[in-house]
């Protein structure tokens, strides 16, 4: 919540009159972000990979700010490189942050939304969750999991007759937050800014969109992956530079 898209989204929610709870594990960055934002916002140091810590923090937030109407699941890290080059610790950490944190946070807040028949879940996945990308196998696997999780929750809510709780799955291309420093985005997929994707998320919540995909080329991925000729999609990825996009990855310093 203290950086990138989380901060940009918080700014917009505060401007709309919402009370905002920001969770982050970096105290210095969290304090700076809370001080910079205008409105009723509180920061909490939470390790979202720890289910006990998430449950306790959720109780604290709801005691101090009231029931949570919108949960923005956006914790994420990237482990770059081929699968066989990653060590066990990096693999586990990526799944803990990118997937398990979504499970723990959703389980903490969704029951209240269901009981009130009102609320919205934002699940930040990635374009890499819609297809494979060389050099980010672990990250891509985690984002595929987020999409599957979001879709399953949406269907479970429908099966229970819960019509007041929405689910929006966010699948952006590369966002200029520092996480993917050094990457060369493929053709027709320019860098996104945190502000631009935050605007799209707000619109998606208001319209109860199941998916937010950006830029435009990302919206075509479901159509392209439906083409039965796998070789064509591989060739297209090569032409666009997708297969080499992670070769110059540097990431956060």
């Amino acid at each position: 919540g203290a950086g990138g898209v989380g901060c940009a989204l918080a700014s917009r929610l505060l401007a709309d009159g919402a009370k905002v709870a920001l969770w982050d594990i970096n105290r210095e960055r969290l304090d700076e972000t809370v001080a910079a934002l205008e409105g009723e916002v509180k920061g909490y140091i939470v390790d979202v990979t720890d289910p006990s810590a998430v449950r306790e923090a959720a109780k604290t937030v709801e005691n101090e700010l009231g029931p949570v109407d919108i949960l923005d699941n956006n914790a994420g890290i990237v482990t770059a490189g081929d699968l066989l080059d990653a060590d066990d610790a990096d693999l586990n950490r990526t799944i803990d942050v990118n997937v398990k944190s979504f499970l723990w946070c959703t389980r903490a807040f969704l029951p209240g939304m269901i009981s009130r028949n009102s609320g919205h879940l934002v699940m930040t996945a990635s374009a890499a969750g819609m297809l494979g990308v060389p050099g980010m196998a672990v990250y891509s696997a985690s984002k595929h999991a987020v999409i599957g999780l979001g879709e399953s929750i949406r269907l479970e809510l429908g099966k229970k007759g819960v019509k007041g709780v929405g689910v929006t799955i966010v699948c952006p291309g590369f966002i200029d937050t520092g996480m993917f420093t050094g990457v060369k985005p493929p053709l027709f997929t320019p860098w996104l800014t945190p502000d631009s994707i935050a605007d799209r998320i707000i619109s998606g919540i208001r319209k109860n969109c199941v998916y937010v995909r950006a830029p435009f080329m990302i919206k075509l991925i479901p159509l392209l992956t439906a083409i039965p000729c796998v070789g064509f999609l591989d060739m297209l990825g090569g032409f666009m530079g997708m297969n080499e996009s992670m070769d110059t990855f540097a990431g956060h310093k």
Side-chain angles (χ1 to χ4, degrees):
V5 178
C7 178
L9 188 61
S11 176
R12 283 150 177 77
L13 292 170
L14 288 166
D16 282 343
K19 294 180 288 186
V20 174
L22 289 184
W23 287 8
D24 207 281
I25 201 169
N26 186 319
R27 181 175 295 277
E28 181 180 0
R29 187 173 65 173
L30 181 61
D31 290 343
E32 291 175 353
T33 301
V34 170
L37 291 170
E38 297 182 0
E40 190 170 353
V41 54
K42 296 190 69 172
Y44 302 82
I45 299 297
V46 186
D47 179 358
V48 291
T49 68
D50 181 345
S52 297
V54 167
R55 286 191 290 268
E56 287 303 312
K59 293 177 184 177
T60 301
V61 167
E62 296 199 317
N63 286 335
E64 295 181 353
L65 296 178
V68 170
D69 302 294
I70 299 173
L71 171 63
D72 176 28
N73 280 312
N74 68 23
I77 59 173
V78 58
T79 297
D82 293 350
L83 174 64
L84 298 182
D85 295 334
D87 60 34
D88 292 351
D90 286 339
L91 288 171
N92 281 323
R93 184 66 178 164
T94 300
I95 298 302
D96 284 346
V97 174
N98 294 8
V99 182
K100 289 185 179 179
S101 73
F102 287 40
L103 294 171
W104 309 142
C105 293
T106 300
R107 282 167 61 88
F109 292 109
L110 183 57
M113 295 182 184
I114 292 174
S115 67
R116 297 186 299 274
N117 193 32
S118 176
H120 207 97
L121 300 176
V122 177
M123 316 290 279
T124 301
S126 167
M130 302 168 66
L131 75 175
V133 181
M136 55 191 334
V138 184
Y139 180 82
S140 180
S142 71
K143 294 305 184 178
H144 274 76
V146 169
I147 292 175
L149 174 63
E151 283 283 8
S152 296
I153 292 172
R154 180 181 67 82
L155 292 169
E156 287 177 359
L157 291 170
K159 187 175 179 180
K160 294 175 181 177
V162 180
K163 298 181 179 180
V165 180
V167 178
T168 294
I169 303 167
V170 185
C171 298
F174 290 113
I175 307 174
D176 189 11
T177 62
M179 179 182 286
F180 287 99
T181 298
V183 164
K184 184 179 180 181
L187 290 175
F188 315 120
T189 59
W191 283 103
L192 298 169
T193 66
D195 286 333
S196 67
I197 197 65
D199 286 337
R200 288 179 169 88
I201 293 172
I202 291 292
S203 177
I205 293 171
R206 286 177 172 155
K207 297 176 181 178
N208 198 24
C209 296
V210 177
Y211 280 96
V212 169
R213 300 184 179 105
F216 179 76
M217 188 66 190
I218 306 304
K219 298 179 181 181
L220 300 180
I221 290 178
L223 176 63
L224 294 172
T225 53
I227 296 175
C229 179
V230 175
F232 171 77
L233 188 59
D234 292 346
M235 183 179 65
L236 181 62
F239 167 74
M240 294 177 60
M242 183 185 75
N243 296 343
E244 291 77 36
S245 60
M246 291 294 291
D247 291 352
T248 52
F249 171 83
H252 280 298
K253 294 182 180 179

